Amino acid sequence: MTEDVLDGDVLTADETALAKLSRRVERLLDAHDPATTDRLDFLRARFDAGLAWVHFPEGLGGRDLPRDFQPFVDDLLEAAGAPDNDPRRNGIGLGMAAPTILAFGTEEQKRRFLKPLWTGEEVWCQLFSEPGAGSDLAAVATRAVRDGDTWVVNGQKVWTSSAHTARFAILLARTDPDVPKHAGLSYFLCDMTDPGVDVRPLRQLTGEAEFNEVFLSEVRIPDSYRLGDEGAGWQVANATLMNERVAIGGQAAPRESGMVGVVAETWRNRPELRTPELHDRLMTLWVEAEVARLTGQRLSQKVIHGQPGPEGSAMKLSFARLAQQLSGLEIELLGEDGLRYSSWTMVRPDIVEFTGRDAGYRYLRAKGNSIEGGTSEILRNIVAERVLGLPSEPRTDKHLAWKDLPR
Amino acid sequence: MTEDVLDGDVLTADETALAKLSRRVERLLDAHDPATTDRLDFLRARFDAGLAWVHFPEGLGGRDLPRDFQPFVDDLLEAAGAPDNDPRRNGIGLGMAAPTILAFGTEEQKRRFLKPLWTGEEVWCQLFSEPGAGSDLAAVATRAVRDGDTWVVNGQKVWTSSAHTARFAILLARTDPDVPKHAGLSYFLCDMTDPGVDVRPLRQLTGEAEFNEVFLSEVRIPDSYRLGDEGAGWQVANATLMNERVAIGGQAAPRESGMVGVVAETWRNRPELRTPELHDRLMTLWVEAEVARLTGQRLSQKVIHGQPGPEGSAMKLSFARLAQQLSGLEIELLGEDGLRYSSWTMVRPDIVEFTGRDAGYRYLRAKGNSIEGGTSEILRNIVAERVLGLPSEPRTDKHLAWKDLPR
Amino acid sequence: MTPPSTSTGVNLLYSEVEDSLRQNLRDLLTVRCTPARVIAMYDGEGDLQPSLWRELSVDLGLAGLLVPEERGGAGASAREAAVVMEELGRFVAPVSFLTSAVVATTALRGTNHEILDGLGAGQRTAALTVPLHLSAFGFRAAVRMDGEGRLHGAVTSVAGALDADVLVVPVRSGAGVELHLVDVDGVGVTVETVTSLDMTRQLADIVFTGADSTLVVGADAGDAAVREALEVGAALLASEQLGVAQWCLDRLVSYLVDRKQFGRPVGGLQAIKHRLADLYVLVESARAAARYAAATAADGDPDREVAASLAQAFCSEVAVKAAEECVQLHGGIGMTWEYPAHLYLKRAKADQIAFGTAGAHRQRLGELVALNPATQIGLRHD
Amino acid sequence: MTPPSTSTGVNLLYSEVEDSLRQNLRDLLTVRCTPARVIAMYDGEGDLQPSLWRELSVDLGLAGLLVPEERGGAGASAREAAVVMEELGRFVAPVSFLTSAVVATTALRGTNHEILDGLGAGQRTAALTVPLHLSAFGFRAAVRMDGEGRLHGAVTSVAGALDADVLVVPVRSGAGVELHLVDVDGVGVTVETVTSLDMTRQLADIVFTGADSTLVVGADAGDAAVREALEVGAALLASEQLGVAQWCLDRLVSYLVDRKQFGRPVGGLQAIKHRLADLYVLVESARAAARYAAATAADGDPDREVAASLAQAFCSEVAVKAAEECVQLHGGIGMTWEYPAHLYLKRAKADQIAFGTAGAHRQRLGELVALNPATQIGLRHD
């Protein structure tokens, strides 16, 4: 381990890095007093100081440090009353678009997109799923046809959250129907203000329209907005999805975070509802939720300096199952109160809280956890094939040209 | 409904048939007083009187009546102190060989085999499974080569219960390796006293050797012992298996029969072992076992005049799952006593009681319930394809000649 | 002479009369009770219920199924009513059959009161005024009478009240529980709608503040009448749950045979096939349990209390499981408002609470079949 | 200054030292602890245990892993012991590591008694004389002392006693629980072998009829010493259960990739793949739970009691599930005496009872994390 000296003490490399980070935070705060600085100005200055996401490269909001140094910075800034970038408003941008742009983007793309993405000036959404291409994402039919230096895009996308607030989208489209389906896709960055983009709310079983359908008609995308090589869209999209699954399943969080905490609080506050049967079912799920939390913690310790692998899929499986079982149990626990619902009125929420609103909402919304971002069935395939090395299904659709596949 | 008159009353067809049966039983008892008649003489006389299995044809131990008239006869004879044919000693003969011989046998075969089978003079076993052909039964490699009017058989069979007490076997062997695997099988009746038949005990995880391995070396079987057409062995074997699954899963029985009754008695007798958690798990399984019993009852009401269909597979699935969960629960309930085992000494039992011996034996033996007579995985395939009409797996082994298949 | 049927016990099959009743009802519901019209109820666009109930109750005569023939009803049994419940479950039909024609009618059936004429003819619709989650063995009356014979008290989460014109109210008295009839529109009666998880069986909170009433069952018989009504309700709810589960299975099979992914029908993937096979086993098992509950209720069999709790303990879980699988295996489309899967999920989940949870029924069964719980919590600490 | 590791809590990974310890042990067990030799123990052909334990305890020095360095031990922690437990589970090794080097050693560790020298050097082997199914929170001492200082009483189902030369006996006294050492071959000590479900950890029934003993832990500390020993036993048993489950998963994967039916590898059928994926999730989750229990036990973390019960509540079920799937998905061969799958089934099922069942640990967790049970049985009857 390399050693360094600060204020006369011999320090480990980690300690040195933390000390340097600490000073850099102090300098940022000195130059931009949060109490008097405009929020957006402060965020831009923080980005420029390399304190936005320290594991990103220098010049792109980071300092090439391990990812787990970030909470240290966040804590210092929060303590000083600095504004944050309201990450929940731009989850897809931060969790999926940004790491993909970083991994596959050109220098120009990184410079153009990462800063306003991080500050929240530009919200992102994801145009992947289609009515005919759900789990079989490589079957997307949205066409992008080259016209000189631009691509002309036509098609329909579904399950797009934040489409109505987003400035940009990551988009998967078919650029070559004459090759097998995985080989004919390309990955684009799409300007949602293009007049050919039509966003319509998609109402779901909770009564809300948290997602959208997006219709693309003659949308023109410059070739400079293509991410990765032409025909390499499938590989780029997979990197995005791995990030999504880690984002959903693999976060370090304290005990009784999320759904288990909600149900445990109901249990503690409503002693009159308790029965021996419900107690054992609660404890069984409490155990599984706590073990899932530790498993996520172990996973993040493993990947802290690396890239997310297929193990994130395993975490997402547990997360979805537990959210569903816990929210189902809560309704049984509530009994009469579980028969009631807050409101069926159609709304378009900006931020989705899986554990928000009432028990009925939690129960219904949790059903989506095993569908969105890869169904549990697809994730089991991924674990079986990529982690355990089991043979893949016999398939007829891997070698035929996409245009010749049966529909 | 046809009507009949007996002793002046107008009777339904059922009542008439029962009255006639009743008289026939009286005549049998008059002619062969159970108290003074040799057991075997009585059983033969009962067979000749058509009172052995009333749903069999006249002349073959039956009276062409619905199957559900049999308990009426059994009850009358039992009340008169008549001996029974000890059906548990010859379960495969009665449950599987007999209905198959009846359905596919020649007149000579029926006359030769059914009577000593029913009386128990000749016990039967089943030579189907092989080490390389378990769930994929059509992959049997045991070869039968024609030599004039006889077949010469070589191969190895496993999981043969009663092989050491059996006089005859039903045997599935490959007679044509040049056609696809389902088409090249034939079905034989095999004399177990042939010098080429070598029976060796096959010890299982309980410590017992309830089954056998059977090695067949140059066993000679007359062509007159072939059941069904040459090459039709797969169809005949399937009829046998359907009967097996109904025999395992579909019997009418009183509440708390079988494994659930054993565990319920332990619960009632050992109040000091009870916990709220175990109570709810017991009640959950009690409910499922009672519902499974009713489901079996409903199934037997449906098929009472017909042939067993694929629904029997559904019953066997439930039976196996419940036997396993209940016996697993019993060990947890017993706690310290569940850590003990009666004996690991190797024995060869004549009759197997799934609920016999101790809790450890029940737990271990029940593991076989979802393997023997069709694994639960195969049964789910059958239900999915034959009951629900879902597409079958893509297969490469259905059209290639058996000899050309990869091993 | 023993009839052959005793060897296999209670008849669990459907009769030809029941098959034909089912077909008539299904034909009507297919045309009149479309998913789009049912979904509209969640937005308060509820013109479906009154017209549909009129057709079922009057035209098909279902309101009078359990009303004795001497009061103008069909004098049919719980078996036929169970088949109706199955079909109503299959269409998540928003009608008052369970609440009025089964539960309220059963509570009043012993009275020979003239209200039965109106109920049987479909001219009146009644609701037993108890919370929907209450089981027969958990029943307690919440309404009391003042010195002038007027009713006071609140009853929350009552099913069927919004579509009823008369309430059948259990009233505590010194000598037991009486049953009173109360006009829904009468003075001193407030009926407040509840936004419900299952809007196809919407609940109401009811408050009595000095309401007038008519005594129909005296204190010697009211408690038993309510408990019998709730027990029959639980027994027949199992058939509704069976219908819900059957729809989910049928719809999944037909959807997944058509739906192609990775170049194959999704229904041909083995993991999906095995789950559907398991679901089939559950649905067929639920059918046996529901039929047994209906048959024993119809015959006044001494085992009917066990049968009702058995059916609720089993079928309520099967309906939820089937509806959850239905949403999941449809993928995204199963989550949408336009696709009817969510109607079945909401009905199944609400039915799981109705007339007692599965856990409560298991507990009750333990008492009925002498499988007693631990006498002390935390006794065994190994 | 906050070290980075706090952002993700207790370290749940394996260290390089642990990886190397694991590899050495695995190399030895692969050669010496073959399935055929383990299976032979069920027929009483048990020459495996003494020689194998000598190699592990003396040659590899595992007996002294938890013995303090000042008594000649390795002074290692529960982390390293947990890795040893994993490997022993993976081979269903019939050795005294858990009973002597973990449980008995932990009970005595605070004494600084010279017996620790012998235990650490592998010259002596000890067994804490309590029934195997007992949990830390369920412990009660069964042996008492007479007026002349001799021991009396019976303790059933003791693990490790058949391979021990010294028994560590909890003895009731007026002031609490004392710990005494008793020579296994001494006068007034009867050790009777028990035919056990898991013959690789065979039990014994022990009766004391006036046995001589040596006091090693006084009445002020004996109860706590036993409870700590049983808690550490439970915490580390989770790693054994993890090893059992891991073997079952690994063996299944390699068997099913090779095994062909219907012209395809069975491991390529989607239903099988999904079950193995689910099993993988369980095994990886069990690893996190087991590592957390080991790490908190090693550090004396205030959360260690929660961690031990959490690990037992989870890992004991995973091991049983994995072993049951292992038998099932092998088909017939998994049922045979010759194939080792049954060894893991029996170990897993016995481990489920050992140190408290999962249900008992869930109950205990409820107490520890303020999720209290219903105060009355049958209170809620809806």
Side-chain angles (χ1 to χ4, degrees):
Chain A
M1 188 171 282
T2 57
E3 290 183 349
D4 206 336
V5 178
L6 186 88
D7 299 335
D9 285 333
V10 177
L11 298 178
T12 64
D14 277 0
E15 286 169 327
T16 306
L18 288 172
K20 288 180 178 168
L21 270 180
S22 178
R23 290 201 179 159
R24 194 170 281 271
V25 168
E26 278 166 41
R27 281 203 294 274
L28 171 68
L29 291 167
D30 286 348
H32 307 270
D33 180 357
T36 58
T37 310
D38 171 71
R39 177 177 175 278
L40 212 47
D41 289 342
F42 185 89
L43 292 172
R44 288 174 183 150
R46 177 175 167 183
F47 186 93
D48 293 338
L51 298 171
W53 33 32
V54 298
H55 59 292
F56 269 52
E58 297 208 33
L60 293 173
R63 307 221 60 80
D64 289 307
L65 287 169
R67 187 189 293 255
D68 55 332
F69 284 65
Q70 188 64 45
F72 173 74
V73 174
D74 294 346
D75 291 350
L76 288 179
L77 287 169
E78 188 186 343
D84 72 6
N85 63 341
D86 199 1
R88 294 192 309 173
R89 276 194 64 244
N90 196 13
I92 289 169
L94 293 162
M96 300 171 67
T100 313
I101 292 171
L102 181 66
F104 293 92
T106 62
E107 279 311 305
E108 291 82 347
Q109 288 169 341
K110 294 180 204 170
R111 303 248 160 241
R112 160 65 188 87
F113 292 113
L114 289 176
K115 185 167 170 180
L117 184 162
W118 185 84
T119 61
E121 289 162 88
E122 291 175 355
V123 170
W124 286 67
C125 68
Q126 170 185 290
L127 297 173
F128 278 16
S129 289
E130 299 181 4
S135 290
D136 186 9
L137 183 60
V140 295
T142 292
R143 281 286 275 126
V145 177
R146 192 188 269 274
D147 176 21
D149 271 355
T150 68
W151 295 85
V152 182
V153 182
N154 284 282
Q156 183 192 346
K157 297 287 182 177
V158 286
W159 301 113
T160 314
S161 51
S162 307
H164 55 298
T165 57
R167 173 65 209 282
F168 283 100
I170 45 180
L171 166 70
L172 191 62
R174 185 159 306 279
T175 46
D176 186 354
D178 295 323
V179 295
K181 64 183 186 184
H182 294 85
L185 298 168
S186 300
Y187 194 110
F188 298 95
L189 310 178
C190 173
D191 186 337
M192 292 292 285
T193 63
D194 186 288
V197 176
D198 179 17
V199 176
R200 300 181 202 164
L202 176 59
R203 196 173 180 188
Q204 71 209 63
L205 79 180
T206 56
E208 296 184 348
E210 170 193 331
F211 297 96
N212 301 277
E213 294 179 291
V214 178
F215 294 82
L216 306 167
S217 313
E218 302 289 312
V219 175
R220 298 187 73 84
I221 300 180
D223 189 52
S224 61
Y225 278 22
R226 176 169 43 74
L227 197 68
D229 290 339
E230 198 179 325
W234 178 246
Q235 289 71 34
V236 183
N238 258 299
T240 303
L241 294 178
M242 288 297 178
N243 279 294
E244 178 178 24
R245 281 159 206 162
V246 167
I248 290 175
Q251 286 160 343
R255 182 171 287 168
E256 288 193 13
S257 300
M259 204 70 90
V260 69
V262 174
V263 184
E265 275 317 291
T266 303
W267 182 270
R268 292 190 182 103
N269 293 335
R270 303 283 303 271
E272 78 282 8
L273 298 175
R274 300 175 192 163
T275 70
E277 170 235 352
L278 291 167
H279 186 247
D280 194 61
R281 286 172 62 199
L282 173 68
M283 291 315 303
T284 300
L285 293 173
W286 192 93
V287 164
E288 292 175 11
E290 175 62 8
V291 171
R293 186 183 74 85
L294 292 169
T295 310
Q297 192 167 306
R298 186 166 189 279
L299 177 63
S300 61
Q301 290 175 359
K302 272 180 79 176
V303 303
I304 214 143
H305 298 282
Q307 287 299 311
E311 296 91 349
S313 299
M315 283 310 305
K316 182 173 176 295
L317 279 170
S318 300
F319 163 78
R321 182 180 61 76
L322 284 165
Q324 292 170 355
Q325 292 186 352
L326 282 160
S327 60
L329 174 68
E330 191 188 9
I331 291 192
E332 287 179 75
L333 171 60
L334 287 171
E336 180 178 358
D337 289 348
L339 294 170
R340 291 156 176 252
Y341 196 77
S342 48
S343 166
W344 294 111
T345 308
M346 149 88 176
V347 292
R348 281 176 103 171
D350 273 1
I351 290 170
V352 176
E353 289 268 27
F354 291 165
T355 56
R357 293 185 52 174
D358 60 353
Y361 173 85
R362 285 189 282 277
Y363 174 72
L364 296 173
R365 182 60 187 80
K367 295 288 165 268
N369 296 161
S370 53
I371 297 174
E372 59 204 339
T375 66
S376 289
E377 291 71 34
I378 290 294
L379 298 184
R380 287 193 191 94
N381 283 350
I382 290 174
V383 169
E385 295 174 16
R386 298 194 210 164
V387 182
L388 298 177
L390 294 167
S392 58
E393 289 289 306
R395 286 176 64 170
T396 57
D397 63 332
K398 280 199 150 172
H399 306 293
L400 278 176
W402 182 79
K403 66 178 165 52
D404 298 327
L405 289 177
R407 304 269 183 270
Chain B
M1 188 170 282
T2 57
E3 289 182 352
D4 207 338
V5 178
L6 187 88
D7 299 337
D9 285 334
V10 177
L11 299 178
T12 66
D14 277 2
E15 286 169 329
T16 305
L18 287 172
K20 287 182 179 167
L21 271 179
S22 177
R23 291 203 178 158
R24 193 170 281 272
V25 169
E26 278 166 40
R27 281 203 296 273
L28 172 68
L29 291 167
D30 286 348
H32 307 269
D33 180 357
T36 57
T37 310
D38 172 68
R39 176 175 176 279
L40 213 47
D41 289 341
F42 185 88
L43 291 173
R44 289 174 183 152
R46 177 174 167 185
F47 187 92
D48 293 337
L51 297 171
W53 32 32
V54 297
H55 58 294
F56 270 51
E58 296 208 33
L60 293 172
R63 306 222 60 80
D64 288 308
L65 287 169
R67 188 189 292 254
D68 56 331
F69 284 66
Q70 188 64 43
F72 173 74
V73 173
D74 293 347
D75 291 350
L76 287 178
L77 287 169
E78 189 186 342
D84 72 5
N85 63 341
D86 199 0
R88 294 193 309 174
R89 277 194 62 246
N90 196 12
I92 290 169
L94 292 163
M96 300 170 68
T100 313
I101 292 171
L102 180 66
F104 292 92
T106 61
E107 277 312 303
E108 290 82 347
Q109 287 169 341
K110 295 180 202 170
R111 303 246 161 244
R112 161 65 187 86
F113 292 112
L114 289 175
K115 185 169 174 180
L117 185 162
W118 186 83
T119 61
E121 289 163 86
E122 291 175 353
V123 169
W124 285 67
C125 68
Q126 170 185 290
L127 298 174
F128 279 15
S129 289
E130 299 182 5
S135 290
D136 185 8
L137 183 60
V140 296
T142 292
R143 280 284 276 128
V145 177
R146 190 188 271 275
D147 177 20
D149 271 354
T150 68
W151 294 83
V152 182
V153 181
N154 284 281
Q156 182 193 346
K157 297 287 181 177
V158 287
W159 301 113
T160 314
S161 52
S162 307
H164 54 299
T165 57
R167 173 65 209 282
F168 283 100
I170 46 180
L171 166 71
L172 191 63
R174 185 159 308 278
T175 46
D176 186 354
D178 296 323
V179 295
K181 66 184 185 183
H182 295 85
L185 299 168
S186 300
Y187 195 108
F188 298 96
L189 310 177
C190 173
D191 186 338
M192 293 293 284
T193 62
D194 186 289
V197 176
D198 178 17
V199 176
R200 302 181 201 163
L202 175 60
R203 196 174 180 187
Q204 71 210 62
L205 78 180
T206 55
E208 296 186 348
E210 171 192 330
F211 297 97
N212 301 277
E213 294 179 291
V214 178
F215 295 82
L216 305 167
S217 313
E218 302 289 313
V219 175
R220 298 187 74 83
I221 300 180
D223 189 52
S224 61
Y225 279 23
R226 176 169 45 75
L227 197 68
D229 290 338
E230 199 178 326
W234 178 247
Q235 289 71 35
V236 183
N238 259 300
T240 303
L241 294 177
M242 289 296 178
N243 279 294
E244 179 177 22
R245 282 158 204 162
V246 166
I248 291 175
Q251 284 160 345
R255 182 171 287 168
E256 289 194 12
S257 300
M259 205 69 92
V260 69
V262 174
V263 183
E265 275 317 291
T266 302
W267 182 270
R268 293 191 182 103
N269 293 334
R270 303 283 302 271
E272 78 282 8
L273 298 175
R274 300 176 192 163
T275 70
E277 171 234 352
L278 290 168
H279 186 247
D280 194 60
R281 287 171 62 199
L282 173 67
M283 291 315 303
T284 299
L285 292 174
W286 191 93
V287 164
E288 292 175 11
E290 175 62 7
V291 171
R293 186 182 75 84
L294 292 169
T295 310
Q297 193 167 305
R298 187 166 189 278
L299 177 62
S300 59
Q301 290 175 358
K302 271 178 79 175
V303 302
I304 214 143
H305 299 280
Q307 285 299 310
E311 295 91 347
S313 299
M315 283 309 307
K316 183 173 176 293
L317 279 170
S318 299
F319 163 80
R321 183 180 61 77
L322 284 165
Q324 292 170 356
Q325 293 188 351
L326 282 160
S327 60
L329 174 67
E330 191 188 9
I331 292 193
E332 288 180 75
L333 172 61
L334 288 171
E336 179 178 357
D337 290 347
L339 294 169
R340 291 155 176 254
Y341 197 76
S342 49
S343 166
W344 294 112
T345 308
M346 149 89 177
V347 292
R348 279 177 103 171
D350 272 0
I351 289 171
V352 175
E353 290 268 25
F354 290 165
T355 57
R357 292 185 53 173
D358 61 353
Y361 173 85
R362 284 189 281 277
Y363 174 71
L364 296 172
R365 182 59 187 81
K367 295 288 166 267
N369 296 161
S370 52
I371 297 174
E372 59 204 341
T375 66
S376 289
E377 290 72 32
I378 290 294
L379 298 184
R380 286 192 192 96
N381 283 350
I382 290 174
V383 170
E385 295 174 15
R386 298 195 212 163
V387 182
L388 298 177
L390 293 167
S392 57
E393 289 289 306
R395 287 176 65 169
T396 57
D397 63 332
K398 281 201 150 173
H399 305 294
L400 277 176
W402 182 79
K403 66 180 167 49
D404 299 326
L405 290 177
R407 304 268 185 271
Chain C
M1 195 173 291
T2 320
S5 68
T6 56
S7 66
T8 47
V10 173
N11 179 6
L12 302 174
L13 305 177
Y14 298 108
S15 70
E16 286 178 26
V17 170
E18 288 160 16
D19 286 342
S20 128
L21 174 62
R22 178 199 303 281
Q23 194 57 53
N24 291 341
L25 182 52
R26 187 178 295 185
D27 290 346
L28 187 148
L29 291 170
T30 303
V31 176
R32 300 280 293 108
C33 189
T34 60
R37 296 191 71 190
V38 180
I39 291 168
M41 297 191 70
Y42 278 80
D43 285 323
E45 296 157 14
D47 66 334
L48 176 58
Q49 204 282 339
S51 61
L52 184 61
W53 178 232
R54 203 174 320 112
E55 288 176 81
L56 295 185
S57 61
V58 182
D59 302 354
L60 287 190
L62 298 185
L65 216 50
L66 295 183
V67 173
E69 287 178 274
E70 61 267 32
R71 302 280 354 163
S77 81
R79 283 179 173 277
E80 291 80 23
V83 171
V84 171
M85 289 292 288
E86 264 186 57
E87 287 307 301
L88 295 176
R90 173 178 269 271
F91 288 83
V92 278
V95 292
S96 309
F97 183 77
L98 173 63
T99 48
S100 180
V102 173
V103 174
T105 299
T106 300
L108 297 172
R109 188 149 63 158
T111 65
N112 207 21
H113 188 277
E114 62 178 10
I115 180 76
L116 288 166
D117 303 352
L119 290 177
Q123 291 153 345
R124 313 282 313 261
T125 302
L128 184 66
T129 308
V130 297
L132 178 59
H133 69 289
L134 213 66
S135 67
F137 42 90
F139 165 68
R140 281 148 305 165
V143 175
R144 62 179 177 76
M145 206 166 7
D146 66 18
E148 294 166 18
R150 295 210 169 77
L151 303 187
H152 296 268
V155 186
T156 50
S157 307
V158 180
L162 295 173
D163 307 316
D165 50 39
V166 59
L167 301 174
V168 183
V169 185
V171 178
R172 265 182 289 147
S173 85
V177 174
E178 301 169 349
L179 289 190
H180 290 240
L181 300 184
V182 177
D183 189 348
V184 165
D185 299 325
V187 174
V189 181
T190 318
V191 178
E192 198 166 338
T193 61
V194 171
T195 304
S196 307
L197 179 64
D198 174 16
M199 290 293 278
T200 64
R201 183 172 285 141
Q202 192 173 6
L203 307 178
D205 292 341
I206 301 177
V207 181
F208 300 100
T209 49
D212 277 334
S213 71
T214 311
L215 177 73
V216 278
V217 178
D220 58 327
D223 189 72
V226 173
R227 287 180 198 275
E228 193 197 344
L230 293 175
E231 188 182 300
V232 171
L236 296 197
L237 185 69
S239 285
E240 173 175 304
Q241 290 161 331
L242 168 63
V244 165
Q246 183 76 60
W247 183 90
C248 293
L249 175 61
D250 292 349
R251 177 56 73 106
L252 268 180
V253 169
S254 66
Y255 177 79
L256 293 173
V257 167
D258 286 340
R259 172 84 171 170
K260 289 194 183 59
Q261 296 209 0
F262 308 104
R264 286 169 60 184
V266 176
L269 296 166
Q270 201 195 33
I272 307 298
K273 285 163 67 174
H274 280 199
R275 280 165 70 171
L276 292 175
D278 286 341
L279 193 53
Y280 167 82
V281 173
L282 288 178
V283 171
E284 285 307 301
S285 303
R287 189 183 318 283
R291 287 270 86 191
Y292 186 65
T296 52
D299 301 346
D301 190 298
D303 204 36
R304 66 187 183 280
E305 193 176 356
V306 167
S309 279
L310 184 77
Q312 271 312 296
F314 192 83
C315 299
S316 73
E317 306 290 54
V318 171
V320 170
K321 172 80 176 169
E324 290 181 344
E325 284 288 78
C326 188
V327 169
Q328 175 65 24
L329 295 181
H330 271 88
I333 195 170
M335 291 288 290
T336 63
W337 189 256
E338 286 72 23
Y339 199 84
H342 67 95
L343 299 174
Y344 295 83
L345 182 65
K346 292 163 186 172
R347 172 67 71 90
K349 196 66 188 173
D351 278 0
Q352 194 184 34
I353 311 294
F355 299 99
T357 62
H361 282 283
R362 285 197 295 272
Q363 186 75 20
R364 177 64 178 161
L365 277 171
E367 296 168 3
L368 294 174
V369 302
L371 289 166
N372 298 318
T375 45
Q376 203 183 316
I377 287 173
L379 181 67
R380 191 181 149 191
H381 248 176
D382 58 2
Chain D
M1 196 173 292
T2 319
S5 68
T6 56
S7 68
T8 47
V10 174
N11 179 6
L12 302 174
L13 305 178
Y14 299 108
S15 70
E16 286 177 25
V17 170
E18 288 160 17
D19 286 342
S20 130
L21 174 62
R22 177 200 303 281
Q23 194 57 53
N24 291 340
L25 182 53
R26 186 178 295 186
D27 289 346
L28 187 147
L29 290 170
T30 303
V31 176
R32 300 278 294 108
C33 188
T34 60
R37 296 191 72 189
V38 180
I39 291 168
M41 298 191 69
Y42 278 80
D43 285 322
E45 296 157 15
D47 67 333
L48 174 59
Q49 204 283 338
S51 62
L52 183 62
W53 178 232
R54 204 175 318 112
E55 289 177 80
L56 295 185
S57 60
V58 182
D59 302 355
L60 288 189
L62 298 185
L65 216 51
L66 296 182
V67 173
E69 287 177 272
E70 60 268 29
R71 302 280 353 163
S77 82
R79 282 178 173 279
E80 292 79 23
V83 170
V84 172
M85 289 291 289
E86 264 186 56
E87 287 308 300
L88 295 176
R90 173 179 269 273
F91 287 83
V92 278
V95 292
S96 309
F97 183 77
L98 174 63
T99 49
S100 180
V102 173
V103 174
T105 298
T106 300
L108 298 172
R109 188 149 64 157
T111 65
N112 208 22
H113 188 278
E114 61 178 10
I115 180 77
L116 288 166
D117 303 353
L119 290 176
Q123 292 153 347
R124 314 279 316 259
T125 303
L128 183 66
T129 308
V130 298
L132 178 59
H133 69 287
L134 213 66
S135 67
F137 42 90
F139 165 68
R140 282 147 304 163
V143 175
R144 61 178 178 77
M145 206 166 7
D146 66 17
E148 295 167 15
R150 294 208 169 78
L151 304 187
H152 297 267
V155 187
T156 51
S157 307
V158 180
L162 296 173
D163 307 316
D165 49 38
V166 58
L167 300 175
V168 182
V169 186
V171 177
R172 266 181 289 147
S173 85
V177 174
E178 301 170 348
L179 289 190
H180 290 239
L181 300 184
V182 175
D183 189 349
V184 165
D185 299 325
V187 175
V189 182
T190 318
V191 178
E192 196 166 339
T193 61
V194 171
T195 305
S196 306
L197 179 63
D198 174 16
M199 290 293 280
T200 65
R201 183 172 285 141
Q202 193 172 6
L203 307 178
D205 292 341
I206 302 178
V207 181
F208 300 99
T209 48
D212 276 336
S213 70
T214 311
L215 177 74
V216 280
V217 178
D220 58 327
D223 190 71
V226 173
R227 287 180 197 275
E228 193 197 344
L230 292 176
E231 188 182 300
V232 171
L236 296 195
L237 185 67
S239 285
E240 173 174 304
Q241 290 159 332
L242 168 62
V244 166
Q246 183 76 60
W247 182 90
C248 293
L249 174 62
D250 292 350
R251 177 58 72 107
L252 268 181
V253 168
S254 67
Y255 178 78
L256 293 174
V257 166
D258 286 340
R259 173 83 170 169
K260 290 196 182 57
Q261 296 208 0
F262 307 106
R264 287 169 59 185
V266 176
L269 296 167
Q270 201 195 32
I272 306 298
K273 286 163 68 173
H274 281 200
R275 279 164 71 170
L276 292 175
D278 286 341
L279 192 52
Y280 167 83
V281 173
L282 288 178
V283 171
E284 285 307 301
S285 304
R287 188 182 318 284
R291 287 270 86 192
Y292 186 65
T296 52
D299 301 347
D301 190 297
D303 204 35
R304 65 187 183 280
E305 192 176 356
V306 167
S309 280
L310 184 76
Q312 272 311 298
F314 192 80
C315 299
S316 73
E317 307 289 55
V318 172
V320 170
K321 172 80 177 170
E324 291 181 344
E325 284 287 81
C326 189
V327 169
Q328 175 65 24
L329 295 181
H330 271 88
I333 194 170
M335 290 288 292
T336 63
W337 189 257
E338 285 73 23
Y339 199 85
H342 67 96
L343 299 174
Y344 295 82
L345 183 65
K346 292 162 186 172
R347 172 67 72 90
K349 195 67 188 172
D351 277 1
Q352 194 183 34
I353 311 294
F355 298 100
T357 62
H361 282 283
R362 284 197 296 271
Q363 186 75 21
R364 177 64 177 160
L365 276 172
E367 297 168 4
L368 294 173
V369 301
L371 289 167
N372 298 316
T375 46
Q376 202 183 315
I377 286 174
L379 182 67
R380 190 181 151 190
H381 246 174
D382 58 4

